[in-house]
Amino acid sequence: MSIIKNAGRLLALAGLSCAVLAPAASAAERPDRIAAAVDAAFRPLLQEYDVPGIAVALTVGGKQYFYSYGMASKQSNTPVTKDTLFEIGSISKTFTATLATYAQALGKISLDDHPGKYMRQLQSYAINRASLLNLGTFTAGGLPLQFPDAVTDGTTMTAYFQHWKPAAAAGEQRRYSNPSIGLFGHLVELAMKRDFAELIETEIFPGLGLEHSYIRVPEAAMAAYAWGYNKADKPVRVNPGVFDAEAYGVKSTAADMIRFVEANIRPERLEPPLRRAVEGTHIGYFQIGDMVQGLGWEQYAYPITLDRLLAGNSGKMAMEPHAATLLTPPKVPAQPTLFNKTGSTNGFGAYVAFVPAKNIGIVMLANKNFPIPARITAANTVLERLASEAP
């Protein structure tokens, strides 16, 4: 039996606005302590890294808390709210993964399939030795972080994969890669016979209860779309590119993203195919140091030290290949597990983490790409406070 079939079983700059929908039972007498923890962790980042605005959302025992700092646009002095749209960068990959496992739940694909099944142009080339699972877990054999500049459309994309030479056999190493996850998502849309963005926006987002998340931001939502700020402090938004939707194209709000986290914490509340899809993204397939790579999400045994969490989200982990060990059978979380994912574009930075066993999660969205260690340190401080108060 294949590994895949085995797995198948299984708000102003100086101010803070806080909207608490309802306190968790364990924190019912001290919601101010949660607000104080978030404020202490995140407010200093605005000045330290010249971040215009940050939105933070928490879920604690199924109850939502929202905290907003700063400006969504420095030009118009628009304050950040829980409904401000941010670019979430590579956290988009978790939605690509969810679409893939949704397609699997519907019987449209198998993660054991190879690219040539859906792109005949790739049947005779080295890329076809990789499975969809390899593409989705960055273990195809050394695909790079980004496409070269010459890849600008479907024709040059296909030619790139035809000429690509692996540095390792499929499954031997993990090398974080936009082309890898991009091809993964592209093959899924071919199998589903519908446009990738349309599938995400009409099947995945609504099924998860996300009301203000987009790949293609409609005109009616543009007023809520924050401006990102680059290193020169110029307002920017993401540029189009080959496989941008699949790799880094989602724009979402703190309110929607915490719903996404809650769907991951309690997938049994979803309709059956989407439940199986979300659960499918929680399966771990490859061990890379302390981190287990699944589809979209990166996993760690919990509790975890900050040092280990920072190492797993380091620049070295993102930029260099690392030996990967196939988990046989795949890891279905039975012990407490922390799931996380970072995301960045030129003008935005984001982080999501959650621990289902503790029923806690955090979302941080910012309109500046400030250092990942600072994001994770702040978020981890808050998560540890929540965990200490959890039942």
Side-chain angles (χ1 to χ4, degrees), residues 13 42 45-55 69-74 80 84-89 225-237 343-351 364-372 374-375:
L13 181 57
F42 286 98
L45 303 180
L46 278 76
Q47 181 173 357
E48 184 173 358
Y49 298 104
D50 193 25
V51 181
I54 295 175
Y69 304 81
M71 295 293 141
S73 167
K74 297 202 292 188
V80 169
T84 299
L85 279 172
F86 290 83
E87 295 170 10
I88 67 170
Y225 190 176
W227 280 99
Y229 293 84
N230 62 18
K231 293 179 181 179
D233 202 31
K234 301 297 183 183
V236 295
R237 285 175 177 155
S344 305
T345 60
N346 284 338
F348 292 81
Y351 181 61
M364 186 230 69
L365 308 176
N367 54 347
K368 188 164 188 177
N369 181 3
F370 70 98
I372 287 173
R375 305 178 208 172

Side-chain angles (χ1 to χ4, degrees), residues 104-293:
Q104 182 184 36
L106 295 177
K108 300 293 185 179
I109 67 163
S110 166
L111 296 178
D112 286 324
D113 292 341
H114 293 261
K117 179 173 181 178
Y118 307 101
M119 289 182 69
R120 293 184 179 180
Q121 311 97 305
L122 302 182
Q123 284 182 348
S124 303
Y125 296 91
I127 189 65
N128 202 44
R129 300 174 197 155
S131 67
L132 269 64
L133 177 68
N134 294 134
L135 293 171
T137 56
F138 316 113
T139 59
L143 285 167
L145 179 62
Q146 306 286 7
F147 279 121
D149 291 343
V151 176
T152 58
D153 55 22
T155 299
T156 51
M157 174 272 290
T158 300
Y160 172 80
F161 286 116
Q162 290 173 335
H163 291 90
W164 173 73
K165 304 297 182 187
E172 287 188 355
Q173 67 173 224
R174 176 201 185 261
R175 187 177 181 189
Y176 190 69
S177 169
N178 284 340
S180 188
I181 198 75
L183 181 58
F184 182 54
H186 180 58
L187 297 171
V188 172
E189 75 171 341
L190 293 175
M192 298 281 280
K193 298 181 171 60
R194 288 174 63 190
D195 175 74
F196 179 87
E198 179 189 352
L199 285 163
I200 295 288
E201 292 177 336
T202 65
E203 298 283 339
I204 303 304
F205 290 160
L208 294 168
L210 311 190
E211 301 174 347
H212 302 289
S213 296
Y214 313 96
I215 291 176
R216 305 160 297 189
V217 181
E219 187 62 34
M222 288 298 292
Y225 190 176
W227 280 99
Y229 293 84
N230 62 18
K231 293 179 181 179
D233 202 31
K234 301 297 183 183
V236 295
R237 285 175 177 155
V238 68
N239 291 321
V242 176
F243 294 158
D244 55 349
E246 294 87 343
Y248 51 85
V250 173
K251 298 87 180 171
S252 190
T253 67
D256 264 11
M257 288 302 294
I258 206 65
R259 292 189 194 103
F260 182 43
V261 167
E262 290 180 336
N264 276 271
I265 291 174
R266 297 287 302 275
E268 65 272 16
R269 299 176 178 179
L270 301 171
E271 291 298 316
L274 202 50
R275 171 182 178 170
R276 295 197 298 273
V278 169
E279 291 171 343
T281 66
H282 295 180
I283 297 170
Y285 293 100
F286 290 91
Q287 186 83 44
I288 302 94
D290 287 328
M291 186 266 283
V292 171
Q293 180 69 64

